[in-house]
Amino acid sequence: MIRLISWNVNGLRACVGKGFAEAFKALDADFFCLQETKMQAGQLDLQFDGYRSYWNYADKKGYSGTAIYTRHEPLSVSYGIGIDEHDHEGRVITLEMPQFYLVTVYTPNSQDGLRRLDYRMRWETDFQNYLHQLDARKPVVVCGDMNVAHEEIDIKNPKTNRHNAGFTDEERAAMTRLLGSGFVDTFRYLHPDEVTYSWWSYRFRAREKNAGWRIDYFVVSERLAPQVAEARIHTQVMGSDHCPVEVDLAL
């Protein structure tokens, strides 16, 4: 069994001060993927026994960024998706493993007033093309903050959020496209009717009221779906406005 964890830490240095190391050890994953590290090289030396780590930093300080800790040495590692427009914000790391590709992603937010929605839609097309290129070679596990609540079940207040970043018709349609083209949302696959969120605004005591969104995912190639043994959302783990999500694969 292989356990994978994904967590948008919303600033790793801040999260380290809120129990990150303890959560990391308790979750005991083979692969631990992070998004929104908000770091530059050399700002934090955070290593764990038995793990190697890979980091992709944004050009802009204190912004975006991804990382993967792994107990298993990859065959190869790549950063970004090979398109200059997208590859300056530290949003993607890909590990090639013997049986699959592991991709961690921090999908661009469409921002207030949807000022980045057009860019987000270009990203969706290019990132999905990238996943399909990988999938043609071997199965893919993609995880991270994908910045979309796919269906109404994935968001506390669907009606009032319909035109807000993360729940626009365009973003939801892009996720529908991905899931209709050979990929599976692991949590929904195992828990079709469960209402569990992975992100809560820091405003309005949203987490206390559980007024959340499910925007953090493990999505796998359809041919891996039979190996999905469990998919969990660790709502009890604090330290960020997101909580960790998990998938266990029987490989």
Side-chain angles (χ1 to χ4, degrees), residues 141-154:
V141 177
V142 55
C143 69
D145 175 0
M146 298 180 85
N147 256 318
V148 61
H150 182 218
E151 302 286 2
E152 292 196 352
I153 190 176
D154 298 314

Side-chain angles (χ1 to χ4, degrees), residues 147-214:
N147 256 318
V148 61
H150 182 218
E151 302 286 2
E152 292 196 352
I153 190 176
D154 298 314
I155 185 170
K156 177 73 172 186
N157 296 305
K159 299 216 168 9
T160 53
N161 279 296
R162 183 164 170 207
H163 300 295
N164 289 341
F167 199 61
T168 63
D169 294 352
E170 294 91 334
E171 291 162 311
R172 294 171 65 198
M175 178 59 100
T176 298
R177 233 179 7 258
L178 177 65
L179 299 178
S181 63
F183 288 89
V184 171
D185 172 354
T186 59
F187 183 79
R188 232 1 113 220
Y189 176 71
L190 289 188
H191 308 284
D193 305 313
E194 187 176 318
V195 176
T196 307
Y197 306 125
S198 66
W199 174 78
W200 305 262
S201 169
Y202 277 136
R203 295 180 295 178
F204 315 120
R205 307 205 325 271
R207 192 157 186 172
E208 196 183 309
K209 298 173 184 166
N210 197 29
W213 304 41
R214 188 175 74 94

Side-chain angles (χ1 to χ4, degrees), residues 7-65:
W7 193 7
N8 178 323
V9 290
N10 191 12
L12 183 56
R13 286 169 295 167
C15 195
V16 164
K18 301 174 187 171
F20 174 79
E22 294 77 6
F24 184 97
K25 288 166 184 166
L27 289 165
D28 191 30
D30 293 280
F31 298 89
F32 205 116
C33 301
L34 307 179
Q35 303 88 41
E36 214 174 353
T37 54
K38 295 185 176 176
M39 278 175 29
Q40 306 303 122
Q43 285 188 317
L44 184 69
D45 183 26
L46 185 64
Q47 299 302 329
F48 295 95
D49 286 348
Y51 291 87
R52 62 193 74 222
S53 62
Y54 302 93
W55 301 78
N56 194 1
Y57 305 105
D59 295 356
K60 182 174 159 187
K61 284 186 176 170
Y63 180 74
S64 189

